[in-house]
């Protein structure tokens, strides 16, 4: 297998993440915030707001966005980009739900800390 192939790893059950909420999971490659939208989409992002480092996992999830709890900037869960007049981007990672379990691509996460 080449090194750019995904290395999918089971990190938790979908039910472990509240709908319209988030959960931080610790992996061998560092922590990542998992967000669950109302329609059961799951998104993996850094748990750090690019504005002043707010904990995005404690923000409010709406549609496919999260509002930072510190100064209310809004970020797309799909792209990590700030919405509206604000600028900035949160690192996103591939996440998939298979048979009710959430999988992350550990290779992409490892690239984050390398
Ligand atoms: S730290 Fe997130 S909006 Fe300011």
């Amino acid at each position: 297998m080449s090194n750019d192939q995904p290395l999918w790893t089971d990190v938790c059950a979908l039910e472990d993440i509240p709908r319209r909420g988030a959960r931080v999971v610790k992996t061998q490659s560092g922590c990542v915030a998992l967000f669950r939208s109302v329609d059961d989409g799951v998104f993996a992002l850094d748990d750090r707001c690019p504005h002043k480092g707010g904990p995005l996992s404690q923000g409010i999830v709406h549609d496919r966005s999260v509002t930072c709890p510190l100064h209310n900037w809004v970020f797309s869960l799909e792209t990590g980009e700030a919405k509206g007049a604000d600028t900035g981007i949160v690192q996103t990672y591939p996440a998939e739900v298979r048979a009710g379990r959430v999988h992350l691509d550990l290779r992409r996460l490892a690239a984050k800390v390398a």
Side-chain angles (χ1 to χ4, degrees), residues 2 6 20 24 28 41 55 76-78 85 92 109:
S2 84
R20 289 196 181 125
V24 177
Q28 296 168 326
S76 163
L77 292 174
E78 293 169 311
T92 61
L109 270 175

Side-chain angles (χ1 to χ4, degrees), residues 5 24-26 32-33 37 41-44 47 49-50 54 58 74 82 100 102:
Q5 291 292 313
V24 177
V25 293
K26 202 184 255 185
V32 67
S37 59
V42 172
F43 306 91
D47 190 20
C49 178
Q58 293 174 34
V74 179
V102 178

Side-chain angles (χ1 to χ4, degrees), residues 8-69:
W8 293 109
T9 303
D10 183 326
V11 290
C12 67
L14 176 63
E15 296 304 320
D16 292 338
I17 312 169
R19 268 203 185 106
R20 289 196 181 125
R23 173 191 175 146
V24 177
V25 293
K26 202 184 255 185
T27 75
Q28 296 168 326
S29 305
C31 291
V32 67
L34 298 177
F35 296 87
R36 180 177 172 190
S37 59
V38 71
D39 59 353
D40 288 339
V42 172
F43 306 91
L45 288 85
D46 277 341
D47 190 20
R48 191 169 193 289
C49 178
H51 178 220
K52 292 194 175 175
L56 291 176
S57 61
Q58 293 174 34
I60 294 174
V61 175
H62 46 99
D63 299 325
R64 294 199 160 198
S65 302
V66 60
T67 298
C68 179

